[in-house]
Amino acid sequence: MDILQIVGIGIVSSILILLLKEQKSSLAFMLAIFTGLIIFLALIQQISHIFKLIDYMAGKANIHGVYVETILKIIGIAYIAEFGAHLTKDAGLSSIASKIELAGKVFILLLSIPILTALIEAILGFFPG
Amino acid sequence: MIQDATVLFQIAGIGIIVAMIHSILKQMGKEEIAQVVTLVGFIIVLFIVLNGLADLFQQIKSVFLFQG
């Protein structure tokens, strides 16, 4: 019952963070980072299983490997950007959080360029002449 | 997952102890020692958290096929 451990750790650490917030808000922020980190490290195995399933299905549907890999990278970038943005927002620095989100969007767009070009060429291919 | 939880409680313990020592030293009138103790506690927690973050980013890289 992994979910119980995760929820338990989340609640206990939020209590500790609130306890630390009055005296040492910087240490409370570090505790928040570490809690997010623990919860994600607990999920990483399950996520890799899910991705193996996606790869397997893509193989069966003989989709080109590049597309699936790009999608997985985009998911990774989206997750990291969201992780950093929410943490800095918790610390009260919403300006830095929006900068991080902007950077995440830019990198995702950067990664999707080959897919977009392939899409456009496919569409143009439908038109005769 | 459990060993990470113990590290979490260590960090909370360090934070609470540093806060207590800081206030005790302030009552005794030794301001600068209090600041130094706070700084040392902060640096210890920083190392722990940074090691954890490095491990997290390494795992993310391996799972999300960041070979590029």
Side-chain angles (χ1 to χ4, degrees):
Chain A
M1 288 304 288
D2 230 3
I3 185 66
L4 292 180
Q5 286 168 353
I6 289 173
V7 171
I9 282 184
I11 291 171
V12 167
S13 57
S14 53
I15 293 167
L16 291 173
I17 287 166
L18 288 181
L19 178 72
L20 267 173
K21 223 178 229 319
E22 293 88 18
Q23 291 94 358
K24 292 276 172 295
S25 64
S26 55
L27 287 184
F29 177 59
M30 289 229 235
L31 207 59
I33 293 177
F34 203 80
T35 311
L37 194 133
I38 284 181
I39 289 175
F40 185 75
L41 283 181
L43 296 176
I44 200 108
Q45 260 61 37
Q46 284 74 10
I47 289 176
S48 61
H49 292 326
I50 291 169
F51 281 162
K52 284 198 188 71
L53 171 69
I54 289 175
D55 277 344
Y56 173 71
M57 284 198 288
K60 281 290 172 216
N62 52 50
I63 299 170
H64 198 290
V66 171
Y67 300 135
V68 178
E69 193 172 303
T70 312
I71 290 173
L72 294 190
K73 274 187 191 170
I74 286 177
I75 293 174
I77 288 179
Y79 172 70
I80 293 176
E82 184 261 343
F83 182 81
H86 279 299
L87 272 180
T88 43
K89 212 168 281 177
D90 274 358
L93 307 164
S94 55
S95 61
I96 296 177
S98 59
K99 296 293 175 296
I100 291 175
E101 275 166 15
L102 175 70
K105 289 177 189 135
V106 165
F107 282 124
I108 286 175
L109 267 176
L110 205 64
L111 263 178
S112 62
I113 286 174
I115 293 184
L116 291 177
T117 45
L119 179 69
I120 289 165
E121 274 148 18
I123 291 173
L124 288 180
F126 293 149
F127 297 114
Chain B
M1 231 255 295
I2 298 305
Q3 74 281 5
D4 290 343
T6 50
V7 179
L8 180 91
F9 298 134
Q10 280 165 8
I11 293 177
I14 290 174
I16 292 165
I17 287 167
V18 161
M20 271 196 305
I21 290 175
H22 185 85
S23 54
I24 289 165
L25 283 175
K26 205 172 277 183
Q27 258 98 33
M28 282 163 52
K30 292 191 176 55
E31 271 296 324
E32 64 286 348
I33 296 179
Q35 302 295 349
V36 169
V37 165
T38 307
L39 198 61
V40 166
F42 188 82
I43 288 169
I44 291 169
V45 171
L46 189 63
F47 272 124
I48 296 173
V49 171
L50 286 184
N51 286 333
L53 263 178
D55 182 26
L56 172 75
F57 288 152
Q58 192 49 42
Q59 294 249 0
I60 287 179
K61 234 187 255 184
S62 63
V63 166
F64 289 105
L65 311 178
F66 272 143
Q67 266 63 40

